[in-house]
Amino acid sequence: MKPILWITFYLPNDLAERLKPYVTIKMWQDDIHDMPQEEIEAAVLEADYLWTIVPNQITAAVLNRTTKLKMITNLAVGFNNIDVEAAKEKGIIVTNTPDVLSETTADLAFALLMTSARRMLDNAKQLYQGKWLGWQVFGMTGTDVHHKTLGIIGMGAIGELVAKRASGFDMNVLYHNRSRKEEAEERYGVTYRSKNDLLAEADFIIVLTPLTKETHHLIDREALAMMKRTAHIINVARGGVVDEEALYDALVNGEIAGAASDVFVEEPVSTNHPLLSLPNFTPMPHIGSATVETRQAMVQRNLDAWEAYFTNQSIPYRVI
Ligand code: DGY
């Protein structure tokens, strides 16, 4: 009997076909709804291998249910949904999809910055609601992006590509990161700032850190209070890096001008979420990497890792 690869999401078009010589494939068949946690807990009991996505919580408790699981590939560059320490202790290999989604996610980060600055969502809503009644001198106006100061928090591959885009808008780009990035400073003309200085100086802030214990609520009430009242903050990282309650208060009280977020603590976010009631907040349904080309490349990364494993080659894209 072949070992079982459980794909805990719906992967269309027989994309996993080339793994069939090595494994029996079981797959979540609903292409709209994420696999519920209790189903994942059941699947892990029979799985030799798991192929997961970010909504699947592969916690220590889930991993402790199995002694036969050998490898997990995560269809994402982020892997905060997997307890990698627990996986490591159990000798389970974990791989991700680095490098292939940075450009696409940088595009979305910049699009959200533009959307927030120019109030594009709110203006479009007004048009749909028949509230576009004429040309007003100061109606529907946003704020300029060009020649403003952008602060990037988390200067990895995506941050660098956001900086590259910002240079086309003649922006002054600041960044904050755990460590200085001298090469990026030279290549993209970005300047290092402490977190507090960046918060105080930037007109736009893009948050791009992974979610860890250290970055949970990195943007909290205090951080939001340090921002300019005219500033906008964009979260393309993970829900939980920005304190959603504090963000709501800051937007309602006019402590900052606008915000956009591709990510939420609870995903899919409830349509009753308080942030969704605000005209100066732009939500997106976690689509940072969502282009056909990029998703294909991400699948390819995971397939390459599986094939390497099954043919005893060195496994690429290992997290651990
Ligand atoms: C990632 O790759 O981490 C994305 O957020 C997944 O959609």
Side-chain angles (χ1 to χ4, degrees):
M1 235 177 52
K2 281 192 274 187
I4 293 177
L5 167 63
W6 240 109
I7 306 179
T8 56
F9 56 95
Y10 182 70
L11 186 63
N13 305 332
D14 272 342
L15 282 169
E17 185 72 23
R18 67 188 230 213
L19 302 181
K20 284 188 180 156
Y22 312 107
V23 284
T24 299
I25 293 176
K26 296 205 173 184
M27 191 195 296
W28 179 242
Q29 291 297 326
D30 184 340
D31 66 344
I32 308 262
H33 303 97
D34 295 332
M35 190 166 172
Q37 195 61 20
E38 58 276 16
E39 301 270 356
I40 289 172
E41 284 166 18
V44 87
L45 292 177
E46 59 175 0
D48 296 277
Y49 308 106
L50 273 184
W51 191 349
T52 56
I53 52 173
V54 167
N56 308 148
Q57 295 305 313
I58 311 301
T59 59
V62 170
L63 293 173
N64 282 336
R65 294 170 66 80
T66 169
T67 49
K68 63 175 186 162
L69 187 65
K70 294 170 198 68
M71 175 156 140
I72 307 170
T73 56
N74 204 36
L75 189 64
V77 69
F79 45 88
N80 56 295
N81 59 309
I82 300 174
D83 189 329
V84 287
E85 282 312 311
K88 194 172 173 185
E89 261 170 44
K90 294 176 73 84
I92 298 168
I93 297 164
V94 178
T95 77
N96 69 343
T97 64
D99 305 326
V100 284
L101 50 81
S102 308
E103 296 273 7
T104 301
T105 307
D107 284 347
L108 187 86
F110 216 82
L112 285 179
L113 185 158
M114 297 292 296
T115 304
S116 195
R118 298 298 297 272
R119 298 177 49 203
M120 285 199 258
L121 180 63
D122 190 36
N123 283 332
K125 273 193 219 156
Q126 298 203 35
L127 179 155
Y128 276 118
Q129 292 164 5
K131 292 182 184 159
W132 179 24
L133 301 175
W135 192 93
Q136 307 155 325
V137 180
F138 290 111
M140 299 188 172
T141 51
T143 190
D144 279 333
V145 170
H146 62 85
H147 296 95
K148 293 277 179 71
T149 295
L150 169 64
I152 298 172
I153 299 184
M155 197 58 161
I158 301 171
E160 292 188 11
L161 292 167
V162 168
K164 188 175 169 190
R165 283 151 180 73
S167 74
F169 284 74
D170 292 317
M171 296 182 92
N172 168 34
V173 184
L174 312 176
Y175 78 97
H176 179 72
N177 200 59
R178 271 185 313 184
S179 54
R180 283 283 289 268
K181 293 289 188 92
E182 266 108 20
E183 226 184 282
E185 290 177 20
E186 210 155 287
R187 188 171 314 151
Y188 300 109
V190 297
T191 311
Y192 179 82
R193 285 285 189 278
S194 69
K195 180 183 152 197
N196 290 356
D197 285 350
L198 181 148
L199 288 167
E201 285 179 51
D203 299 301
F204 298 96
I205 293 171
I206 295 185
V207 184
L208 289 166
T209 60
L211 176 62
T212 62
K213 278 190 209 101
E214 291 73 37
T215 62
H216 181 257
H217 285 190
L218 183 72
I219 305 297
D220 56 8
R221 217 164 272 282
E222 207 183 320
L224 290 161
M226 284 182 203
M227 289 172 58
K228 295 179 184 177
R229 293 182 84 82
T230 51
H232 294 244
I233 188 157
I234 319 300
N235 184 5
V236 193
R238 283 287 184 266
V241 177
V242 176
D243 176 348
E244 290 178 355
E245 248 181 72
L247 179 64
Y248 174 85
D249 291 343
L251 288 166
V252 167
N253 299 331
E255 286 165 33
I256 63 170
S261 194
D262 186 40
V263 286
F264 293 87
V265 173
E266 293 282 339
E267 295 183 1
V269 71
S270 157
T271 51
N272 295 322
H273 193 296
L275 279 169
L276 270 58
S277 66
L278 300 180
N280 53 351
F281 178 75
T282 302
M284 278 297 137
H286 203 144
I287 58 163
S289 63
T291 65
V292 174
E293 299 90 328
T294 292
R295 288 287 162 85
Q296 279 169 346
M298 290 164 71
V299 168
Q300 194 59 42
R301 284 274 195 264
N302 284 163
L303 283 172
D304 289 347
W306 285 124
E307 274 209 323
Y309 178 91
F310 293 132
T311 56
N312 294 319
Q313 313 291 313
S314 139
I315 301 162
Y317 321 124
R318 278 183 77 152
V319 173
I320 52 163

